[in-house]
Amino acid sequence: MKKKLLSGLLCAAMVGTLFVGCGSSADTGATEDAGASTESTDTASTDAEATTDSAAGGATGTYALVPKSAGNPFNEKEADGFTEAIEAMGGTAVVQYPESATADAQITVIESLISQGVDSICVAANDENALQSVLEEAMDAGIKVCSVDSSVNKDSRAVHCNQAGVDEIGLALIDAVYDISGGEGQFAILSATSQATNQNAWIDSMKSYMESDSKYANLELVEVAYGDDESQKSTDQTQALLQKYPDLKVICSPTTVGIAAAAKVLQDQGSSVKLTGLGLPSEMAAYIGDGDDFSCPYMFLWNPIDLGALGAYTSVALVNGEITGAEGDTFTCELGDYTVVSAADGGTEIILGAPFKFDPSNIDEWKEVY
């Protein structure tokens, strides 16, 4: 089945089954050196998801994406979506992975992109504030800057492309913990890096719901552990949580690398601890199910291909002058009609859609998609 159809099916499922649709504007392995790039021909599919009359009437020039890290399946699917959309609009896409999942490694990549004179930079930040100086340098050079997935601070971007509203994600996750735990007991969070803006925002939202709603009064968050989006470290952190907290009931991992690592540990050990969070269906299908034989009753995510594509359409709209990133700006692309809205940090954002639930009833279908 072609990617265009599969992506369309996922968007349709989101529209029909949960919250809002893909077009919502509601408030809701590393390269050998940091300068090494993956050109659009390396990652693009022949089945492009966009058409040349998409956002802002087509793309000319060079559009860069700086993911968090290489070797992360979510980041790689995001890069596929970005590349396919840019190519289909007639532009040149450059994906440059940092050597490691750190701000310093991303700074090196961005400096290289500035020297190359790209037209735009779309970045998934490893640190909200550390990239400000180099991104301001890029903007001073006339390069349009936006963030995707994990935002940079409001002074470092024109607009952020958000996969879903922070509070929608936070509520979905804490409600899943509540449901799976039976409404009481200890749970832990296995996050990515301690500086990851999206992870921290979701975790803060979960905590806020716990503090403001007595429904969650019998839940105890014992620890937020960090696996740095590395499989082995996430495995080690999961094992440490099991040893430290014998009464632990649930682990919530809002990161695709962490949830996959934790799922394997729990299932291999036959642990009674259950898991939820954000994961790729293709990686989690073997762990999602009912009963003691499965570590994860259900989880959530969105379509990373579409998220990358939204970053591409936004980049082109910025370069073509269709939007500036100001609240109220609108544009239309293959994914739908979008409106720039205010973000929690005082800047602005564009929201792809809402989190989608993957459970035993649909995981076999979606594991073939991504």
Side-chain angles (χ1 to χ4, degrees):
M1 187 179 290
K2 294 186 177 182
K3 281 186 180 177
K4 180 176 180 179
L5 175 59
L6 294 173
S7 178
L9 283 172
L10 183 54
C11 282
M14 286 181 177
V15 170
T17 63
L18 187 64
F19 306 114
V20 295
C22 277
S24 170
S25 63
D27 188 18
T28 52
T31 54
E32 291 183 359
D33 62 79
S37 67
T38 302
E39 294 291 343
S40 59
T41 53
D42 291 335
T43 55
S45 163
T46 55
D47 286 315
E49 295 178 1
T51 60
T52 54
D53 57 350
S54 294
T60 57
T62 301
Y63 303 82
L65 174 69
V66 183
K68 289 182 179 180
S69 62
N72 181 324
F74 184 93
N75 290 169
E76 290 170 355
K77 291 296 184 182
E78 199 172 63
D80 287 347
F82 181 90
T83 299
E84 290 164 5
I86 292 295
E87 278 200 328
M89 289 185 286
T92 299
V94 175
V95 178
Q96 289 196 310
Y97 291 96
E99 285 189 332
S100 59
T102 65
D104 285 344
Q106 287 188 314
I107 289 170
T108 300
V109 166
I110 293 166
E111 289 173 339
S112 173
L113 292 170
I114 294 171
S115 68
Q116 293 173 43
V118 298
D119 294 283
S120 73
I121 296 173
C122 182
V123 58
N126 284 322
D127 187 295
E128 179 180 14
N129 297 311
L131 304 181
Q132 180 170 342
S133 179
V134 71
L135 289 177
E136 286 180 340
E137 180 183 345
M139 290 186 285
D140 288 343
I143 298 170
K144 301 299 183 181
V145 174
C146 64
S147 54
V148 65
D149 179 23
S150 184
S151 67
V152 294
N153 69 40
K154 65 182 180 65
D155 296 321
S156 304
R157 68 180 197 253
V159 66
H160 174 57
C161 301
N162 206 349
Q163 54 267 68
V166 168
D167 286 333
E168 280 190 332
I169 299 169
L171 182 59
L173 294 177
I174 194 60
D175 273 349
V177 171
Y178 179 88
D179 175 46
I180 294 168
S181 68
E184 61 182 9
Q186 295 182 344
F187 78 99
I189 294 173
L190 175 62
S191 188
T193 68
S194 60
Q195 298 85 26
T197 30
N198 54 350
Q199 304 280 316
N200 289 338
W202 301 331
I203 293 167
D204 286 344
S205 179
M206 292 174 70
K207 292 177 179 177
S208 177
Y209 280 112
M210 290 178 67
E211 293 169 358
S212 62
D213 193 334
S214 60
K215 168 184 175 179
Y216 310 107
N218 293 324
L219 290 177
E220 180 188 2
L221 175 58
V222 293
E223 184 175 339
V224 178
Y226 299 98
D228 292 345
D229 262 353
E230 297 174 7
S231 181
Q232 186 57 55
K233 186 168 183 181
S234 297
T235 295
D236 295 342
Q237 291 287 352
T238 303
Q239 292 169 337
L241 288 170
L242 296 179
Q243 292 172 358
K244 289 168 67 176
Y245 306 104
D247 295 326
L248 194 67
K249 297 181 76 172
V250 178
I251 294 175
C252 179
S253 185
T255 164
T256 58
V257 175
I259 197 172
K264 187 175 190 310
V265 171
L266 297 177
Q267 199 151 303
D268 286 353
Q269 294 187 6
S271 175
S272 63
V273 176
K274 295 300 182 181
L275 177 70
T276 191
L278 306 176
L280 289 166
S282 59
E283 294 187 333
M284 289 294 293
Y287 307 109
I288 290 180
D290 297 321
D292 296 338
D293 293 336
F294 298 93
S295 57
C296 182
Y298 58 86
M299 64 172 196
F300 303 89
L301 199 62
W302 33 85
N303 190 331
I305 298 171
D306 285 350
L307 182 58
L310 181 60
Y313 295 130
T314 301
S315 296
V316 172
L318 287 168
V319 169
N320 288 359
E322 186 174 2
I323 63 172
T324 64
E327 184 177 356
D329 283 354
T330 62
F331 70 97
T332 298
C333 66
E334 282 291 300
L335 297 174
D337 300 326
Y338 287 89
T339 299
V340 178
V341 298
S342 61
D345 65 359
T348 60
E349 64 184 5
I350 301 166
I351 298 175
L352 175 65
F356 182 79
K357 183 179 180 180
F358 298 96
D359 60 24
S361 72
N362 61 19
I363 191 63
D364 286 338
E365 173 187 0
W366 294 113
K367 72 181 182 181
E368 304 299 332
V369 178
Y370 70 107

